[in-house]
Amino acid sequence: MGQEIKPAVRTARRSAKGPTVADVARLAGVSAMTVSRVINNEGNVLPETRERVEAAIAATGYVPNPAARSLASGRQRRIALLHANPSAAYLSEFLVGSLAEASACDAQLLVEHCSESEPTAALVARLRSHNIDAALLPPPLADDGALLAALKAEGILMAQVATGLPASFAHAVSIDDEGAAMDITRRFIAAGHRRIGFIAGNTNQTASALRRAGYERALTEAGIAIDGDLIAQGDFTYRSGLDAAAKLLALPQRPTAVFASNDDMAAATVTAAHRAGLEVPRELSICGFDDTAIATTVWPELTTVRQPIADMARRATRLLVEAIDAGAAATAPRHELLKFTYIERGSTAPPAGV
Amino acid sequence: MGQEIKPAVRTARRSAKGPTVADVARLAGVSAMTVSRVINNEGNVLPETRERVEAAIAATGYVPNPAARSLASGRQRRIALLHANPSAAYLSEFLVGSLAEASACDAQLLVEHCSESEPTAALVARLRSHNIDAALLPPPLADDGALLAALKAEGILMAQVATGLPASFAHAVSIDDEGAAMDITRRFIAAGHRRIGFIAGNTNQTASALRRAGYERALTEAGIAIDGDLIAQGDFTYRSGLDAAAKLLALPQRPTAVFASNDDMAAATVTAAHRAGLEVPRELSICGFDDTAIATTVWPELTTVRQPIADMARRATRLLVEAIDAGAAATAPRHELLKFTYIERGSTAPPAGV
DNA sequence: GCAAGCTATGATAGCGCTAACACAAAAAGG
DNA sequence: CCTTTTTGTGTTAGCGCTATCATAGCTTGC
C-alpha cells in the first residue's frame, strides 16, 4: 500500500576514481558540455568561461577518461608503425619515442613488419583491415615511392621519418642531413685533413644522397677537388663498410680521414684500419653518422653526428595524431627539421704530422 | 491538437560500424547480458546457450568494442615496461613482442626507463601515480631484488623475463639457460675441443651463473677438469669481452674454443682473435649467446643460441594481463620456460688438426 | 510439501563523455 | 526596426558494454 519506497540511490559503481566532467562543470558553474568544449579546444567559448573551466580542471585534477571519450565520439586513432629491417638500435629508439607520444595522445600504435617480398597491395590491404588511420614510416620505407602512393590512394595519412625527399602529400620529420654532412667534413678540413674519404650509404635511401652532397659541398667550398677514388659505395651494413674501407685504405695515396654515412660502416672502417695496421685516430680519423649504440661499442669510440631518433619519432607521431584529428579539415602536410648534434669522441684527430 | 508527432529516431551516430552485442543477442535469441557473459567466459551459461551465442558471434563477425568495455567495467590494464639499458637490439625485439600482445589483449603499455641512479622508491612512486597494474621486467631489472620487493609491497604484479632466479611472488618467463650452455659446450666437446674457454657474464644477472653452471656441468660430464684459467669474467659489454678474450688468448696453452656468455662478448672475441693473428674458426672456435643483430654483423657470423626474445616478451605480457584480470582471485605466479635454438654459423669448427 | 538455496537468464541503469539539436542573447543586415 | 545570422551555452540522448538486481525454474532437506 501507499507509495513504494524508492530504494536509495545505489552506491556508485566506481570506487573513488578521479573527478569527471560533471565535477568540473559544477565547480566552474557551467554545463558538462562546455567543459567538453574547453577540453577539446573547440571554438565558441568565451575566453573568461574557458579560464574558469581551466581553473576548475586544475583545481580538481581532472583527467579525461579516454575510454569514455572514444566511445562517445566514435573516434579512434590507430597508427601503424611500419618497419622493414632498419637496425635494431634504430627501431628500438624509434619505438620508445613513438610509443611515448602515442600513449600520451591516447592513440593506438600497431607495429607491423614489412618483408620486402610482400607485395605492397597485400600490405595495404592488411592495414585497411586493421582500420589504420595513419602510418609511421621510418627509413627505408620512408623512401618507398610505391608504398607512399598506395597509402595515399587508400586515404591513409602518413609521416616519413628521416627521408631526404618528403612527399608533397605526406608529413615528414628529418634532420638536415646535408648540413650535418657538411659540418663533419668542414671539421675534418679545419683539423687539417685534405684527403678525406667518403663511404656512401644505400642508394635506396634519399638521405644517402644528401649526406654525399654535404660532403662534396664542404670540399668544394674549401677549394678541395672532389676525387672519385675517395668515394666508396656502401649500403649501410657493417659488411659493406668493411669492403668500402678496404678499398679506400688500399689507395696508393690513402685518405687521412674517412667519413662513413652511418655508424655501422664507420665501425667497420675502424676494424679495416686495424687490419691494415693503422692506428685510429693518429693515422686515420673516422667519423660516423647516427650515434647508434655501436658508436660507443667499438674502440676507439666513434665521433659521429647524433640524430635525435626518439624525438623524431615523437614528432612524427604527434603530427599524425593532429592530422587524424583534423580529419576532413585536412591541413597541409608539415615538413619539420630537427637539430642534429656533432659528437666528438676518440676516433678523430688532426692528421699525423700536422 | 492531436498528438505531437514524435520525430523519427535520429539516425544513429555511428556510421556503418561493426555489429554490437545487441545484434549478436538478437540473432542468438538471448539478451545482451548473456552475450556479455559468453564473451567474458563467465560461468552460469548453459552449454547449448553458449554455443548458440558463439555461432551468432561468428556469423556476425562481432568484435567487442574495447572502449565500451573498459568504460562499462571500469577496468583497465596498464602495464609498465621497465628498462635499464639492456642492449638496444634486445629492447627492440622485446618491445615488438610485448607491444603486439598488449594491443591484442587491449592492454596499455607504458615504457619507462629506469636510470640506475634513481632511487627505487621514486620509481615506484612514479608507477603508482601512473596507476600501473603490472610491470614487465627484462634483464637486468628482473634480477633487482630491491625493485621486486618494492613492487610487491605496492601490490603491483610483475613478470620477470630471462631471469635465472624467479621470485616466488612474480611471474617469470625464461629459457633454460643452463641447458643451453650445456648444449653449446657439449657440441664443442663432441667436435673434439678439449680446452674450452668461457667468458662469464655480469654477475648482477642470475642467468650468468646458470650459463656458467651449464658450461661446467658439460665439462664434468665429459670428464674434462674445470680449469679456472679458462674462465674469464666479463660484464656482457663488447669492451669487457675484448679484455676477457685477450686474457684467454694470452694463456700459455690457449683454448681452441671460446664460449662467450653473450653475442657482444663473442664478437669482441672475434676481434681479439684477429688481433692475435688467429683465424676464426680454424684456429679458434667462438660461440655466443642470444642471437642478437651483432651475431650476423661480424665476420665470420657467430654460432650462437637463439633466445626467442619477442616470444618471451609476448608470453610475459600475456601472463600479466591474465593476472590483472584474475584480480583478487590471485592465481599462483607462473614460471614458464621457452625453447632455445642452437644456431650454427661460421664461427665454430673442429679444432685444427682433428 | 514448502522454505531455503541454487542456477540460468533478463531488465534496468548507468560508466564518462560528446553529437546533435535547442535556444536565448548579441550582432549584422536591409 | 525587424528580420536573419552568429555566438555561447545548455539539454537530451545515446556510444557499446557490463554491474546489479530481479525473476523464473529447479533442486534440496527435513
Side-chain angles (χ1 to χ4, degrees):
Chain A
M1 316 186 165
Q3 304 251 137
E4 271 197 274
I5 295 171
K6 274 256 188 72
V9 174
R10 188 196 314 159
T11 65
R13 200 133 85 199
R14 67 208 186 72
S15 50
K17 281 218 263 188
T20 74
V21 266
D23 300 317
V24 175
R26 204 172 312 117
L27 207 156
V30 299
S31 75
M33 203 52 229
T34 301
V35 175
S36 172
R37 290 194 178 100
V38 171
I39 298 169
N40 293 293
N41 246 314
E42 284 175 27
N44 294 1
V45 177
L46 234 41
E48 61 175 60
T49 309
R50 181 179 296 273
E51 261 175 49
R52 209 138 37 84
V53 171
E54 271 161 359
I57 289 176
T60 54
Y62 167 77
V63 178
N65 177 325
R69 230 157 36 140
S70 77
L71 178 58
S73 65
R75 233 184 294 136
Q76 63 178 347
R77 323 189 232 207
R78 294 167 73 91
I79 299 179
L81 163 50
L82 271 31
H83 67 105
N85 33 268
S87 86
Y90 193 96
L91 180 59
S92 153
E93 223 186 309
F94 197 98
L95 261 168
V96 170
S98 69
L99 194 57
E101 188 67 27
S103 71
C105 296
D106 188 38
Q108 200 184 343
L109 193 69
L110 306 195
V111 181
E112 291 281 336
H113 180 80
C114 312
S115 68
E116 306 98 273
S117 59
E118 183 178 21
T120 300
L123 170 64
V124 172
R126 197 143 50 90
L127 297 185
R128 254 282 146 263
S129 79
H130 284 337
N131 232 307
I132 295 296
D133 302 300
L136 219 37
L137 303 170
L141 261 22
D143 294 317
D144 182 336
L147 179 60
L148 290 169
L151 290 174
K152 183 180 177 234
E154 279 292 331
I156 294 177
L157 298 168
M158 60 204 116
Q160 300 167 274
V161 178
T163 181
L165 193 73
S168 61
F169 50 81
H171 294 264
V173 178
S174 314
I175 59 162
D176 178 4
D177 281 280
E178 182 171 356
M182 277 184 75
D183 189 39
I184 289 170
T185 313
R186 278 184 186 144
R187 285 171 192 266
F188 272 149
I189 295 169
H193 292 281
R194 286 301 172 269
R195 290 191 60 75
I196 303 169
F198 179 75
I199 302 182
N202 198 324
T203 49
N204 75 1
Q205 294 181 219
T206 49
S208 300
L210 290 183
R211 291 180 193 172
R212 176 166 178 168
Y215 159 78
E216 297 188 347
R217 233 171 105 191
L219 289 182
T220 306
E221 165 193 275
I224 301 174
I226 292 165
D227 178 351
D229 286 347
L230 286 174
I231 299 178
Q233 184 65 47
D235 65 5
F236 286 134
T237 65
Y238 183 90
R239 186 77 53 76
S240 75
L242 234 32
D243 296 340
K247 190 190 129 198
L248 293 179
L249 297 182
L251 248 32
Q253 219 187 330
R254 62 170 172 71
T256 60
V258 170
F259 166 23
S261 292
N262 78 347
D263 288 340
D264 285 39
M265 298 194 297
T269 306
V270 171
T271 298
H274 285 157
R275 284 193 194 162
L278 297 175
E279 193 184 315
V280 177
R282 200 176 54 82
E283 295 171 285
L284 185 71
S285 280
I286 299 170
C287 184
F289 205 107
D290 287 349
D291 194 30
T292 49
I294 198 171
T296 51
T297 293
V298 297
W299 188 252
E301 296 188 343
L302 295 176
T303 292
T304 187
V305 158
R306 172 158 176 70
Q307 266 202 79
I309 300 171
D311 282 342
M312 293 168 78
R314 227 189 306 274
R315 279 304 302 160
T317 306
R318 167 57 69 102
L319 286 178
L320 288 180
V321 167
E322 287 169 1
I324 293 172
D325 288 354
T331 43
R334 298 174 55 179
H335 296 169
E336 302 198 343
L337 277 189
L338 264 47
K339 284 222 179 340
F340 59 84
T341 322
Y342 178 80
I343 296 182
E344 176 123 38
R345 295 209 184 88
S347 67
T348 49
V354 171
Chain B
M1 26 230 80
Q3 306 248 138
E4 270 196 274
I5 295 172
K6 274 256 187 71
V9 174
R10 189 196 313 159
T11 65
R13 201 133 84 198
R14 67 208 187 71
S15 50
K17 282 219 263 189
T20 74
V21 266
D23 300 318
V24 176
R26 204 173 312 118
L27 207 155
V30 298
S31 74
M33 204 50 230
T34 301
V35 175
S36 172
R37 290 195 177 99
V38 171
I39 297 168
N40 293 292
N41 245 312
E42 283 175 27
N44 293 0
V45 177
L46 236 40
E48 62 175 59
T49 310
R50 183 178 296 274
E51 262 175 50
R52 210 140 35 84
V53 171
E54 272 161 359
I57 289 176
T60 53
Y62 167 76
V63 177
N65 177 325
R69 224 138 74 120
S70 78
L71 177 58
S73 65
R75 236 183 292 135
Q76 63 178 349
R77 321 181 215 198
R78 294 167 73 90
I79 299 178
L81 164 50
L82 270 30
H83 67 106
N85 36 266
S87 86
Y90 193 95
L91 180 60
S92 153
E93 224 186 309
F94 196 98
L95 261 168
V96 170
S98 69
L99 194 57
E101 189 67 28
S103 72
C105 295
D106 188 38
Q108 200 184 343
L109 194 69
L110 306 196
V111 180
E112 291 280 338
H113 180 80
C114 311
S115 69
E116 306 99 272
S117 59
E118 183 178 21
T120 301
L123 170 64
V124 172
R126 198 144 49 92
L127 296 184
R128 255 282 146 265
S129 79
H130 284 336
N131 232 307
I132 294 296
D133 302 300
L136 220 36
L137 303 169
L141 261 21
D143 294 318
D144 182 336
L147 179 59
L148 290 169
L151 290 174
K152 183 180 177 234
E154 278 292 330
I156 294 176
L157 298 168
M158 60 204 115
Q160 301 167 273
V161 178
T163 181
L165 192 73
S168 61
F169 51 82
H171 294 264
V173 178
S174 314
I175 60 163
D176 178 3
D177 280 281
E178 182 170 358
M182 277 185 75
D183 189 39
I184 289 170
T185 312
R186 278 184 186 145
R187 285 171 193 267
F188 272 149
I189 295 169
H193 292 280
R194 287 300 172 270
R195 290 191 60 73
I196 302 170
F198 179 74
I199 302 182
N202 198 324
T203 50
N204 74 1
Q205 294 182 220
T206 50
S208 300
L210 290 183
R211 291 179 194 173
R212 177 166 177 168
Y215 159 78
E216 298 189 346
R217 234 172 104 192
L219 290 182
T220 305
E221 164 193 274
I224 301 174
I226 292 165
D227 177 350
D229 286 348
L230 285 174
I231 299 178
Q233 184 64 49
D235 65 4
F236 285 134
T237 64
Y238 183 89
R239 186 78 52 77
S240 75
L242 235 32
D243 296 340
K247 191 190 130 198
L248 293 179
L249 297 183
L251 249 30
Q253 220 189 330
R254 62 171 171 69
T256 59
V258 170
F259 166 22
S261 291
N262 78 345
D263 288 341
D264 285 39
M265 299 194 295
T269 305
V270 171
T271 299
H274 285 157
R275 284 193 194 162
L278 297 175
E279 192 184 316
V280 177
R282 202 175 54 81
E283 296 170 285
L284 184 72
S285 280
I286 298 170
C287 183
F289 205 107
D290 286 350
D291 194 30
T292 48
I294 198 171
T296 51
T297 294
V298 297
W299 188 251
E301 297 188 343
L302 295 176
T303 292
T304 188
V305 157
R306 173 158 175 70
Q307 264 202 80
I309 299 170
D311 282 343
M312 294 169 77
R314 227 189 307 274
R315 279 303 302 159
T317 306
R318 167 56 70 102
L319 286 178
L320 288 180
V321 167
E322 286 170 1
I324 292 171
D325 289 354
T331 43
R334 299 174 55 179
H335 296 170
E336 302 198 343
L337 277 189
L338 263 48
K339 285 222 179 340
F340 60 84
T341 322
Y342 178 80
I343 297 182
E344 177 124 36
R345 295 208 184 89
S347 67
T348 50
V354 171

